[in-house]
Amino acid sequence: MRAKFLQNTLFVAVFCLLTASTVFADDPPPGWLRQAASVSVSGYDKDTPAVAVLDEQQVTLGSDGKLVTTENFAVRLLTREGKRFATAVAFYLTSSGKVKEIKAWIVRPDGTTKYYDKKFILDLISDPDDVYNEGRIKVIDATGDVDAGYVFGYTIVSEETPLFYQDVWGFQGPIPTVVSRYSLTLPTGWKASSTTFNTSEITPRLNGSTYTWEMNNLPRVPDEPMSPSIANMAARIAINYSPDVADKTVNRVFTNWADVSRWATAMHDPNNIIDDNIAAKARELTANAQTELEKIRAIGTFVQNLQYISIDIGVGHGNGYAPRPSTLVLSRGYGDCKDKANLMRALLRSLKIESYPIAIYSGDPTFVKAQWPSPRQFNHCIIAVKVSDATQSPAIIKHETLGRLLIFDATDPYTSVGDLPEHEQGSFALIIAGADGGLATMPIPPPENNLLDRKIEAAIGINGEMTGTIRERALGQTSAVFRGEVRNLSATDYQKAIEGWLTRGATGAKLVSVKSKDNAEKSSFDLDIDFSAPRYGQIMQGRLLVFKPVFVGRRRDIYLTENKRLSPVELDSQSLTETATFTLPTGFAVDEMPEAVNLDTAFGKYSTKYEVKGEKLLFTRSLTIRRSSVPVEKYDTVKSFFTKMRDAEQAPVVLIKK
């Protein structure tokens, strides 16, 4: 998929290097752009920044096996905010592709034009974080030259050798689209088919050997808090194409997920090498391990702590899917995700513990679609370790052929063995195990595995001052968040972050001391805080003291304030239990307390309770959210749930002087 809209947004901040001087060139806008500029766009709401008048990709497979792709794109800017869409971005791999041409134009409201030739092209690495990456981009940025009412358009012609006979095309993005079109021209004796996602089936028009898929007058894909990704809401197609002669399709066409598993196994297994150094390292790491899980944990922690470095060479020839030899990764002490998984497999295999690489999409658990067998659906590699019944963990799945598998991400630096990053839970992922492999669903631990248990002991003075302690015990992915905070911040910045968290609930709160203990091997984290809040309670009429028992905010606050919703609400799994004990000031008694709250829905539960015991007020609250996708038609239910929860947490207790 040529993710033009996402690329425009991503690169606009980077490529403001071009001058705004007027250039009169000999290359006028082509006919398709003139026609697009003449299209009237109206009826869009005032917040629509731009409209894609034409979004077209023409792909031709030559008899030499090369793919030539021509992209034509035209956008009319409706507001000044729409200027960010006036960027052309062309991606290519230096080892297997090239950008043959990139041109851009603007058409002003008065009909005058400007042409951007090769002098305006920037050629940059696609991912600056990689040590070396064959992926590069050519960019033309016109954001400094356009304004509301302008039309920006570009043509990109690129050439590549396809690794697979597959492609994807997204018809929609974050702005409306008038015409979205994808065409594929094949040699004689070839055929194409498609799978449609997120809309009713799109049937191509066939003209000779050219297949064309087209959609018109598409609305924007809404950008709302806690919504699914664009890929899971926008109409898109996955295309397969192949010749009638089967021997031309080896390793380029996949009819099922077992085919993909066999192909990927041939990429991974030859580089899973055990030598004396691998065996010695495995024995060293597990010298004190008594159980199967302890051995896996010792090796997993070691691999997890190796430096992550990505060096992508020969990606266009399949090397982006093949790990480096495990012996090389151990000797160098670094690697990318597939390198880490491969090294961990070799270390485990030297101890007679079997494991398998897993291809997964990191960042969106619902991205991978089972209907389309393709390696192109994955961007990350993790590991499945075969375990006995003695090993228990919420990160274990039962595979019908391979048995009990413990799933672990050796790249994630904060998630311990026995847990799985939240953005991978529930994903479709490919277990790479030859003919026995295939697509499997990753585990979803119950909310209680992400528990945050909080205990508060606080004393309130007669003038409203408060002092106390907070003891937090975090489990699972909640502990991973805490672990990431303490590892990524200096001691000073960490204290400032904790104090900022306190002051959001208690204005003027001061952090007296903070202690943390990372129990990574148990996937837990302890945080102990001493604090003071000089002006927490409010004195009223000289005899009333008002304070809110909820003064420590939830780390994952959820705000749904819109009256209407266009997309589902995606909820992550979480669990909170809190017990707060307040010692009341001398001479005061409870005059008013909020009513207890009990909310129970299909996606979560929430409750509060108040109780007076002598000179103390006990307040408890609990929250459990299950991993859910709440459909639009039930938006009022989820909004009401969180609104009532916020109201309950703003409710005050009133004390009266005896």
Side-chain angles (χ1 to χ4, degrees):
M1 181 188 300
R2 313 299 185 189
K4 286 173 281 296
F5 296 109
L6 298 179
Q7 290 169 339
N8 290 344
T9 303
L10 176 62
F11 295 115
V12 69
V14 181
F15 307 121
C16 294
L17 305 178
L18 304 179
T19 65
S21 60
T22 302
V23 175
F24 297 94
D26 296 330
D27 198 344
W32 67 263
L33 181 55
R34 287 285 191 185
Q35 182 178 357
S38 68
V39 173
S40 175
V41 294
S42 60
Y44 298 104
D45 63 63
K46 59 182 178 60
D47 295 327
T48 303
V51 175
V53 184
L54 175 66
D55 187 7
E56 178 182 54
Q57 184 164 298
Q58 302 168 357
V59 182
T60 300
L61 179 65
S63 57
D64 59 355
K66 299 285 188 182
L67 274 182
V68 176
T69 299
T70 300
E71 299 178 50
N72 294 323
F73 179 74
V75 59
R76 180 176 290 279
L77 314 180
L78 302 185
T79 69
R80 299 201 70 186
E81 289 71 27
K83 294 168 62 174
R84 68 183 186 272
F85 294 99
T87 307
V89 181
F91 176 85
Y92 68 101
L93 293 170
T94 57
S95 63
S96 61
K98 60 183 176 181
V99 177
K100 300 176 69 175
E101 182 179 85
I102 175 170
K103 298 178 180 180
W105 302 263
I106 56 174
V107 180
R108 303 182 183 93
D110 63 4
T112 60
T113 64
K114 178 178 177 177
Y115 169 57
Y116 296 83
D117 61 10
K118 61 183 180 181
K119 297 190 299 292
F120 289 86
I121 299 172
L122 296 174
D123 194 320
L124 304 167
I125 189 170
S126 63
D127 189 346
D129 291 333
D130 285 354
V131 173
Y132 178 77
N133 191 329
E134 290 183 347
R136 296 191 66 84
I137 50 174
K138 290 183 182 289
V139 180
I140 294 177
D141 175 30
T143 56
D145 299 336
V146 296
D147 209 332
Y150 283 54
V151 172
F152 171 77
Y154 64 78
T155 290
I156 296 171
V157 181
S158 58
E159 181 183 271
E160 64 178 320
T161 302
L163 185 58
F164 314 117
Y165 292 142
Q166 297 180 312
D167 203 357
V168 288
W169 175 254
F171 290 92
Q172 291 172 279
I175 59 175
T177 303
V178 178
V179 176
S180 182
R181 181 188 304 127
Y182 177 94
S183 67
L184 175 64
T185 301
L186 298 172
T188 302
W190 287 62
K191 59 186 177 182
S193 62
S194 64
T195 303
T196 304
F197 304 116
N198 308 321
T199 189
S200 55
E201 184 178 358
I202 304 171
T203 303
R205 300 191 305 270
L206 183 58
N207 182 9
S209 61
T210 298
Y211 296 76
T212 300
W213 293 260
E214 182 173 326
M215 296 186 76
N216 299 316
N217 301 315
L218 299 166
R220 68 182 179 90
V221 179
D223 181 17
E224 298 175 304
M226 303 165 60
S227 66
S229 66
I230 286 181
N232 283 309
M233 292 189 290
R236 62 185 175 107
I237 53 173
I239 303 103
N240 292 335
Y241 52 100
S242 62
D244 293 332
V245 181
D247 60 3
K248 293 183 179 180
T249 69
V250 175
N251 292 335
R252 295 196 180 195
V253 175
F254 307 100
T255 59
N256 54 51
W257 285 106
D259 283 351
V260 185
S261 174
R262 281 189 287 265
W263 174 85
T265 300
M267 289 285 185
H268 281 258
D269 280 2
N271 289 322
N272 192 244
I273 303 167
I274 298 174
D275 65 3
D276 290 343
N277 291 331
I278 291 280
K281 190 63 180 181
R283 290 193 300 270
E284 173 194 331
L285 292 170
T286 60
N288 297 319
Q290 300 298 315
T291 67
E292 179 182 65
L293 182 58
E294 288 175 352
K295 292 177 182 179
I296 298 168
R297 182 171 285 138
I299 289 175
T301 301
F302 167 75
V303 175
Q304 194 176 42
N305 289 328
L306 293 180
Q307 188 173 8
Y308 179 90
I309 295 179
S310 177
I311 303 177
D312 290 327
I313 299 174
V315 174
H317 304 293
N319 292 351
Y321 293 89
R324 290 169 182 80
S326 51
T327 49
L328 182 63
V329 178
L330 179 64
S331 65
R332 290 183 174 178
Y334 66 81
D336 62 14
C337 59
K338 57 188 179 293
D339 298 335
K340 288 191 170 202
N342 190 44
L343 174 58
M344 185 170 175
R345 288 184 65 213
L347 291 166
L348 289 169
R349 193 157 66 91
S350 74
L351 300 175
K352 311 300 182 187
I353 299 175
E354 266 322 302
S355 61
Y356 311 94
I358 294 179
I360 194 169
Y361 187 89
S362 176
D364 183 350
T366 59
F367 178 82
V368 175
K369 304 302 183 186
Q371 308 97 299
W372 188 48
S374 173
R376 294 191 57 162
Q377 296 205 70
F378 308 110
N379 65 358
H380 189 43
C381 185
I382 60 176
I383 188 172
V385 184
K386 191 168 183 175
V387 294
S388 66
D389 291 340
T391 296
Q392 298 295 319
S393 166
I396 290 176
I397 63 172
K398 182 69 179 294
H399 190 275
E400 60 182 9
T401 304
L402 303 174
R404 301 180 77 246
L405 301 175
L406 174 66
I407 313 300
F408 174 60
D409 187 338
T411 303
D412 188 296
Y414 312 122
T415 298
S416 309
V417 173
D419 193 14
L420 193 64
E422 192 166 61
H423 57 269
E424 296 170 7
Q425 294 176 14
S427 299
F428 281 134
L430 176 70
I431 299 178
I432 300 171
D436 292 330
L439 208 62
T441 303
M442 296 297 96
I444 303 178
E448 294 74 20
N449 280 80
N450 297 325
L451 175 67
L452 173 59
D453 180 61
R454 179 185 295 140
K455 290 181 172 54
I456 300 172
E457 294 281 346
I460 300 177
I462 59 175
N463 295 313
E465 66 276 14
M466 181 169 61
T467 59
T469 60
I470 302 171
R471 304 286 181 259
E472 292 191 334
R473 304 294 179 263
L475 302 177
Q477 285 302 284
T478 305
S479 77
V481 173
F482 284 28
R483 193 169 295 116
E485 290 173 345
V486 77
R487 291 185 186 178
N488 288 324
L489 297 173
S490 67
T492 300
D493 288 342
Y494 184 66
Q495 290 209 12
K496 288 180 180 178
I498 296 298
E499 191 163 60
W501 166 59
L502 283 174
T503 56
R504 284 197 295 271
T507 304
K510 301 292 183 183
L511 183 64
V512 177
S513 67
V514 57
K515 296 178 182 178
S516 63
K517 182 180 180 182
D518 186 356
N519 308 298
E521 71 284 354
K522 297 181 179 179
S523 194
S524 68
F525 191 98
D526 298 346
L527 182 64
D528 294 345
I529 295 169
D530 293 329
F531 71 93
S532 65
R535 299 176 299 278
Y536 187 66
Q538 297 180 350
I539 299 294
M540 301 178 64
Q541 301 174 1
R543 57 193 296 268
L544 301 177
L545 197 160
V546 181
F547 73 97
K548 292 187 296 183
V550 176
F551 69 93
V552 179
R554 286 172 281 107
R555 297 293 184 100
R556 303 186 189 183
D557 282 344
I558 296 174
Y559 297 99
L560 295 171
T561 57
E562 307 94 340
N563 291 326
K564 294 183 179 180
R565 181 85 179 186
L566 299 175
S567 59
V569 178
E570 302 286 299
L571 298 174
D572 290 328
S573 173
Q574 61 172 298
S575 181
L576 166 72
T577 58
E578 178 177 303
T579 301
T581 302
F582 297 93
T583 300
L584 305 180
T586 303
F588 281 80
V590 174
D591 185 47
E592 293 182 22
M593 289 190 303
E595 294 289 331
V597 172
N598 283 286
L599 306 175
D600 192 348
T601 68
F603 53 82
K605 296 180 179 182
Y606 179 78
S607 66
T608 64
K609 182 181 178 181
Y610 299 84
E611 185 178 4
V612 177
K613 290 188 175 182
E615 301 299 317
K616 297 181 184 293
L617 171 68
L618 273 63
F619 167 72
T620 59
R621 61 172 168 158
S622 66
L623 170 67
T624 300
I625 299 294
R626 285 177 282 279
R627 178 81 162 271
S628 311
S629 180
V630 183
V632 172
E633 55 269 24
K634 294 188 177 180
Y635 172 63
D636 288 345
T637 301
V638 68
K639 180 185 177 185
S640 174
F641 179 89
F642 288 108
T643 298
K644 290 177 180 178
M645 185 170 69
R646 285 197 305 274
D647 290 345
E649 294 178 352
Q650 294 297 316
V653 169
V654 180
L655 306 181
I656 189 168
K657 187 178 290 185
K658 298 177 184 177

